[in-house]
Amino acid sequence: MPNRRRSWAEPYKIKMVEPIKMTTRNERLSAIEDAGYNTFLLRSEDVYIDLLTDSGTSAMSDRQWAGMMMGDEAYAGSRNFYEMEDAVRDVYGYRNVIPTHQGRAAEHMISQLLIKDGDVIPGNMYFTTTRLHQELAGGKFVDVIIDEAHQPEVLHPFKGNVHLDKLQAVIDEYGADRIPYVCIATSVNMCGGQPISLENFRAVSDMAHENGILVVHDMTRVAENALLIKEREKDYADRSIADIVRSICDLTDVATMSSKKDHLVNIGGFLAVNDDDLADKARNMVVVYEGLHTYGGMAGRDMQALAIGIHESIDYSHIYARVGQVHYLGHKIADAGVPIVWPIGTHGVFLDAKRFLPHVDQDLFPAQALAAEIYVDSGVRSMERGNVSSGRDPVTGGNRRPNLELVRLTLPRRVYTQAHMDVVAESVIEVWDRRDRIGGLEFTYEPEYLRFFQARFRPVPAGTKPVEAGIEREAVATT
Ligand code: P71
């Protein structure tokens, strides 16, 4: 691989530390029971190493903290907004910036503005909040990602790519006037943080635009995607991260951003729009749901830290070390024979719970059970990304039973050390060694929306069939 030093060592040193609590196994057993076997419901103080998410959990730099002291907390026209707007324009090139409190607020607005009842939105794999907002606006999400993305063990350098024939087939079937936009994510979260290539993105953009269809970019982890383009795509080895990021954004019309990821801030996001009329509509809508169009739910100081984070996110040594740490952990786990998603992605290591716990039926939620087990073993918190996250099919009402039944070990940026990674790997390997003794879970409470956040479970005895656990199996699509 070009540009790879052997070591991914951090391009920073630590100037402030936050103590974390060590717990006993018995304390963790009672904490997970109290949490209904859902890692989202654990108290953070009962967690030793928190790999639930990389969202809003990163460490800000001294410059970002200095920016927090420069907050202009005016209700209207805060200086920090204009700095954020400049940063978005300079780095990404989008003309209009509407701030929001986080990513899903931008998804909400663009879905409500562009989707009509009965519309269809093709995309490179669903994301939970993105798809829900599309559905709430009356649309239907259609997955057009390449098949390899749904196959954890298959190696492909750009598993985030769109299958162009699938996209063409959707356009042929529904007609361009029922497709308000295609929704393309960089570093596709649900299949393991997998990149889309610039070549593929360009073809998607051309196909959409030739049919008069907009391209909406979920740019939550665009810099991480850019690093893998630099490392894997022909002709990009010598291009800067900034340059590649800009080339991606130039292919798109609209972007939704959760700044809680790439931008290293604890809260924030935006909707970016090139078209001025659409931007005016979004500016009008943001005052209803978020706040005035010059703060959109953020404090002035948050916008300042975000503006600085935009520039830090495209620094090569930062992004190289960030992804390098993920790869360090991934190889350590995989070297012990534990099944993971390949290739190792950008923001976390994804354990393949179907192959980890082949004796647990998918309707007994193997990934949920595995996440609970790892927590009990070591206090490491991870997140289920499988049958619970995927939810129920709105038509059949059955669990969607996705091909990918995963546990995500997600790395916050600039937070944990290599020794922490070693502890995580040791724990996963320990649980792997006694995998035969791990059973499934059943719901005791299932919320209507985004059920994974608040659902509660109880263990079922090993060997229980879903029917015995009172679950009717429905015939539903597997993707
Ligand atoms: C992550 C999150 C946070 C999250 C969201 C929903 C369920 C579990 C965890 C958020 C994303 C994302 C992408 C690709 C939009 C959002 C929403 N990811 N697109 O991975 O990854 O942004 O959280 O700021 O509203 O843990 P938001």
Side-chain angles (χ1 to χ4, degrees), residues 120-123 144 162-172 175-184 199-217 250-254:
V120 168
I121 303 93
V144 293
V162 168
H163 194 302
L164 297 171
D165 294 342
K166 284 191 196 175
L167 178 57
Q168 186 63 57
V170 176
I171 298 173
D172 293 344
D177 48 339
R178 282 181 64 195
I179 305 174
Y181 59 87
V182 293
C183 186
I184 303 298
E199 183 190 20
N200 183 259
F201 211 146
R202 200 168 290 121
V204 171
S205 172
D206 287 348
M207 189 184 287
H209 290 148
E210 278 159 20
N211 286 280
I213 298 169
L214 294 174
V215 180
V216 173
H217 175 201
D250 283 349
L251 299 170
T252 70
D253 307 288
V254 173

Side-chain angles (χ1 to χ4, degrees), residues 98 109 113 277-293:
I98 296 99
M109 288 197 293
L113 286 167
D277 292 336
L278 183 59
D280 279 341
K281 289 189 183 130
R283 275 191 201 100
N284 195 217
M285 185 175 256
V286 80
V287 299
V288 180
Y289 294 105
E290 297 284 293
L292 194 71
H293 59 277

Side-chain angles (χ1 to χ4, degrees), residues 374-438:
I374 292 169
Y375 170 73
V376 171
D377 183 72
S378 58
V380 170
R381 169 155 70 173
S382 57
M383 187 192 290
E384 190 268 4
R385 298 277 75 177
N387 205 14
V388 182
S389 293
S390 194
R392 290 184 181 275
D393 185 288
V395 180
T396 69
N399 290 321
R400 282 192 171 98
R401 296 172 64 87
N403 271 344
L404 297 177
E405 179 72 24
L406 309 175
V407 170
R408 188 182 72 175
L409 299 158
T410 340
L411 299 197
R413 297 163 189 78
R414 311 192 287 207
V415 171
Y416 291 114
T417 66
Q418 185 155 330
H420 286 123
M421 297 303 104
D422 293 344
V423 170
V424 174
E426 280 163 17
S427 174
V428 170
I429 294 163
E430 183 120 353
V431 172
W432 169 246
D433 288 341
R434 56 180 157 76
R435 59 193 178 279
D436 295 349
R437 280 173 275 157
I438 302 169

Side-chain angles (χ1 to χ4, degrees), residues 53 102-104 107 189 218 221 258 261 408 452-453:
T53 177
Q102 61 184 75
R104 69 197 70 179
E107 294 171 345
N189 194 348
D218 180 344
R221 297 180 182 83
S258 171
K261 285 80 167 174
R408 188 182 72 175
F452 51 90
F453 280 130

Side-chain angles (χ1 to χ4, degrees), residues 191-258:
C191 62
Q194 303 291 338
I196 177 172
S197 72
L198 254 170
E199 183 190 20
N200 183 259
F201 211 146
R202 200 168 290 121
V204 171
S205 172
D206 287 348
M207 189 184 287
H209 290 148
E210 278 159 20
N211 286 280
I213 298 169
L214 294 174
V215 180
V216 173
H217 175 201
D218 180 344
M219 63 181 293
T220 297
R221 297 180 182 83
V222 65
E224 295 178 4
N225 194 122
L227 177 75
L228 297 188
I229 288 176
K230 184 176 171 69
E231 292 186 346
R232 297 179 187 168
E233 191 162 353
K234 204 169 123 308
D235 299 335
Y236 291 97
D238 297 327
R239 300 265 298 273
S240 68
I241 299 298
D243 204 15
I244 297 171
V245 163
R246 183 56 181 266
S247 303
I248 296 171
C249 295
D250 283 349
L251 299 170
T252 70
D253 307 288
V254 173
T256 55
M257 182 61 172
S258 171

